Amino acid sequence: QVQLVESGGGLVQAGGSMRVSCVASGRTFSRDTMAWFRQPPGKEREFVARLAWLGGTDYADSVKGRFTISGDSGKNTVYLQMNSLRTEDTAVYYCAAGQGAIYSRGRDLYDYWGQGTQVTVSS
């Protein structure tokens, strides 16, 4: 059974930094794609960033230049380094994985999801 587990969330002040992690088990995703989505309070889940291990990276405009996705393919682990955090970044952050090099930002192309980790940015 494939499982994705996020960690590293918490409370941080605006302007600060935080790194969240995602560890996958049950399958190797080194030839596929892993991504981060987030769901702010009262809003729909939205794309944040993705990493295709044999492709490239992509970021939502709202986080470009502030967030960085990276990982260790051998450990099936991805990270999201978040800098210059804003109150608008407050959300539950979800890790996702899908088959192949996925370049779409659509949620339906990702087959596996973590349970999420809460990130709260205070002013």
Side-chain angles (χ1 to χ4, degrees):
Q1 182 178 354
V2 174
Q3 292 185 336
L4 304 179
V5 180
E6 303 96 336
S7 63
L11 178 65
V12 64
Q13 287 187 318
S17 299
M18 180 174 288
R19 188 181 76 162
V20 291
S21 303
C22 173
V23 179
S25 62
R27 177 182 170 182
T28 299
F29 290 94
S30 60
R31 299 168 63 184
D32 303 314
T33 301
M34 299 184 74
W36 289 96
F37 289 74
R38 68 186 183 186
Q39 187 165 12
K43 297 182 178 180
E44 295 183 351
R45 193 171 302 184
E46 64 184 21
F47 170 81
V48 176
R50 63 172 174 260
L51 170 63
W53 299 107
L54 299 180
T57 58
D58 185 38
Y59 297 91
D61 289 341
S62 60
V63 306
K64 190 173 297 182
R66 300 189 298 120
F67 291 12
T68 302
I69 187 170
S70 62
D72 186 332
S73 61
K75 297 181 179 180
N76 272 351
T77 301
V78 292
Y79 309 95
L80 185 68
Q81 178 67 45
M82 301 178 286
N83 299 325
S84 301
L85 283 163
R86 307 164 181 169
T87 56
E88 306 93 90
D89 296 317
T90 294
V92 177
Y93 283 72
Y94 295 91
C95 179
Q99 183 178 6
I102 300 174
Y103 295 98
S104 172
R105 297 180 176 183
R107 298 188 302 271
D108 59 327
L109 295 181
Y110 293 88
D111 300 313
Y112 308 102
W113 294 84
Q115 295 181 334
T117 185
Q118 176 71 48
V119 174
T120 302
V121 184
S122 62
S123 60

